[in-house]
Amino acid sequence: LRGGNAAAPLITRVPGRREFPLSHSQQVFWLLAQQNRGTGLYITARIFRAQGKLDSEILERSLNELRRRHEILQVRFVLGEDGPRQIVDAGAALHLEVSDLRGVDAASRDGAADELALATVREPFNLEAGPVLRARLVRLTDEDSLLCVAIHHVVSDGFTGSIFLDELSAIYDAFADGQPDPLPELELHFTDYAAWEREIGRASCRERV
């Protein structure tokens, strides 16, 4: 047996890399998704209430910029000889669906908005084809809207909601003022963490031999 306290490898970024293993938590949700194909299970729902006038075109640009920033929101999942892999493939730009309920009477508007929100977050994702994110803007009045975002749990968890909203708000405000994205580029992505986690596992196995 070999012993020792070799330092764990650092998380590094390989420029241009587009194929990554799944993290352990991702593999769990990927397996669950395979067992429940064609269902809307394991989708993270983000419903944001927005007060004030929203420009849907700027919001769509902002969502696409947020997706560009976070590599994990661009992946699709394929099954290879060694198991599932995540491939960074931005594909087509994200399209923001817009549903206008301003002409619906007030008594029925909230119920109609709830139905649209549920439809947005319940529709199944095709993890192999992508994307893993969709969004719908529901206009209630001229200055009251719902932003409904659905993200598959294989790329999102309960801690990312506030980050998503904070970054989207910052990008939207900058774009609305005619400015570029004010957020610094990310040095590392979750895909890099997934690759690092797998390398740690392989290194641990080698040390036991």
Side-chain angles (χ1 to χ4, degrees), residues 84-121:
R85 308 283 290 177
Q86 49 188 331
I87 310 296
V88 180
D89 180 7
L94 175 70
H95 173 63
L96 174 66
E97 296 285 347
V98 179
S99 299
D100 193 343
L101 299 182
R102 288 176 294 183
V104 177
D105 65 274
S108 304
R109 192 179 300 143
D110 287 346
D114 289 345
E115 289 182 9
L116 287 168
L118 286 172
T120 302
V121 302

Side-chain angles (χ1 to χ4, degrees), residues 132-143:
V132 292
L133 164 71
R134 77 170 63 92
R136 179 191 298 270
L137 179 66
V138 182
R139 294 196 184 279
L140 303 172
T141 69
D142 288 344
E143 298 197 2

Side-chain angles (χ1 to χ4, degrees), residues 164-178:
F164 186 98
L165 182 58
D166 289 345
E167 291 197 356
L168 181 62
S169 298
I171 295 169
Y172 179 90
D173 289 345
F175 284 2
D177 288 338

Side-chain angles (χ1 to χ4, degrees), residues 11-80:
I11 302 178
T12 57
R13 178 75 178 164
V14 178
R17 183 173 182 176
R18 288 292 177 267
E19 183 172 330
F20 299 84
L22 276 61
S23 72
H24 297 314
S25 60
Q26 282 183 300
Q27 190 154 27
V28 169
F29 282 105
W30 181 84
L31 287 170
L32 289 171
Q34 304 314 298
Q35 294 169 1
N36 297 275
R37 285 179 176 271
T39 72
L41 297 175
Y42 312 113
I43 292 178
T44 302
R46 312 284 191 202
I47 310 295
F48 305 111
R49 193 73 175 253
Q51 302 291 332
K53 292 186 177 180
L54 276 181
D55 186 310
S56 60
E57 292 185 1
I58 294 177
L59 182 57
E60 184 177 80
R61 283 181 54 212
S62 302
L63 285 164
N64 276 289
E65 175 62 13
L66 186 65
R67 184 168 175 256
R68 184 201 65 78
R69 277 179 51 76
H70 293 279
E71 194 171 76
I72 193 64
L73 298 180
Q74 303 172 36
V75 299
R76 55 187 182 86
F77 296 82
V78 299
L79 184 60

Side-chain angles (χ1 to χ4, degrees), residues 143-162:
E143 298 197 2
D144 190 10
S145 303
L146 289 181
L147 175 60
C148 311
V149 179
I151 310 176
H152 199 282
H153 212 333
V154 75
V155 298
S156 176
D157 60 26
F159 297 100
T160 57
S162 60

